[in-house]
Amino acid sequence: DGGITQSPKYLFRKEGQNVTLSCEQNLNHDAMYWYRQDPGQGLRLIYYSQIVNDFQKGDIAEGYSVSREKKESFPLTVTSAQKNPTAFYLCASSPIESSYNEQFFGPGTRLTVL
Amino acid sequence: DAKTTQPPSMDCAEGRAANLPCNHSTISGNEYVYWYRQIHSQGPQYIIHGLKNNETNEMASLIITEDRKSSTLILPHATLRDTAVYYCIVRTINAGNNRKLIWGLGTSLAVNP
């Protein structure tokens, strides 16, 4: 089955620890995205990448880092510099040549920092 | 990208049509209307999009007013599994700028038995 996988579904970390969230896609999409969602809120863009070895900051990139070494993978690291890391994190992908903005989303990772 | 306004919540009886409105009075000529939905604790799912003509697919119908200042997403026979938050987004068609969708708070649709 083609799609986007995120792991783990639930993640707990102690305050001050860095944590890396996984995102893999086998849709052969060029573009990948990371969003954050807080309770009762819409999605906010953290980082996006349109091509391997290149990525751009979104609206709330502070305290996060990403890498795009492979087309299929776009891991997100939540660093200790992120003031409020507890949130629902969503990864998405889309074909860069798409004429419409249909982004395919993974199931999400719910991160709780204790 | 133009701003959208949606009611925060709606109810619908199972088996009836659910009509979800969206206002986008500042939409420009090259902006499309997109609809996504998000079932609780899952990733959003694309539903449908349109420019000025009405559109229909296996999930829903999209009715856009002639002046394009508002639209309605129609779920013709709502089921309990349609309970979700529905997001209306306006966006230009630009593959080179295919990087950001602006997400509002959406409409929380409750389908009741």
Side-chain angles (χ1 to χ4, degrees):
Chain A
D1 288 334
I4 301 177
T5 57
Q6 291 184 245
S7 61
K9 189 168 178 65
Y10 299 95
L11 190 56
F12 297 88
R13 280 293 182 268
K14 291 183 179 179
E15 191 173 350
Q17 291 182 332
N18 292 354
V19 59
T20 297
L21 281 58
S22 167
C23 177
E24 304 280 332
Q25 56 100 357
N26 61 4
L27 300 168
N28 199 35
H29 287 169
D30 290 292
M32 296 187 74
Y33 314 79
W34 273 105
Y35 292 90
R36 169 187 172 133
Q37 188 174 34
D38 294 284
Q41 302 293 317
L43 279 66
R44 292 184 290 168
L45 183 67
I46 304 172
Y47 267 99
Y48 66 98
S49 168
Q50 298 191 16
I51 195 170
V52 173
N53 293 323
D54 185 55
F55 47 83
Q56 305 295 328
K57 292 182 179 180
D59 299 318
I60 54 165
E62 185 175 351
Y64 300 97
S65 65
V66 293
S67 63
R68 188 86 186 277
E69 297 178 0
K70 298 186 300 181
K71 187 175 184 178
E72 304 79 20
S73 179
F74 191 42
L76 172 75
T77 297
V78 184
T79 74
S80 57
Q82 169 49 235
K83 296 291 188 286
N84 298 297
T86 294
F88 188 45
Y89 290 88
L90 288 157
C91 179
S93 71
S94 68
I96 194 68
E97 70 279 7
S98 176
S99 61
Y100 50 85
N101 294 282
E102 181 180 346
Q103 294 187 6
F104 295 78
F105 284 82
T109 292
R110 190 167 298 279
L111 173 65
T112 301
V113 175
L114 306 171
Chain B
D1 296 315
K3 179 180 169 60
T4 62
T5 304
Q6 299 177 254
S9 63
M10 293 183 65
D11 288 294
C12 177
E14 188 178 17
R16 306 298 293 269
N19 299 299
L20 293 93
C22 179
N23 285 323
H24 31 79
S25 58
T26 61
I27 194 170
S28 61
N30 64 345
E31 287 184 315
Y32 284 61
V33 181
Y34 296 84
W35 283 84
Y36 280 75
R37 74 179 182 183
Q38 185 177 24
I39 295 170
H40 182 62
S41 293
Q42 297 183 22
Q45 175 190 24
Y46 164 84
I47 301 173
I48 199 168
H49 75 282
L51 181 63
K52 55 184 177 181
N53 297 321
N54 298 337
E55 301 289 344
T56 295
N57 63 20
E58 65 278 4
M59 290 183 68
S61 294
L62 175 60
I63 309 298
I64 303 173
T65 57
E66 192 169 342
D67 63 7
R68 302 208 324 120
K69 293 184 184 300
S70 66
S71 60
T72 300
L73 179 76
I74 300 173
L75 308 178
H77 306 286
T79 71
L80 299 179
R81 289 181 296 178
D82 292 321
T83 293
V85 177
Y86 287 77
Y87 296 96
C88 169
I89 301 168
V90 294
R91 188 76 171 86
T92 57
I93 292 290
N94 185 341
N97 195 29
N98 185 18
R99 60 177 172 85
K100 188 162 94 167
L101 298 173
I102 299 175
W103 300 78
L105 299 181
T107 295
S108 179
L109 174 69
V111 180
N112 303 309

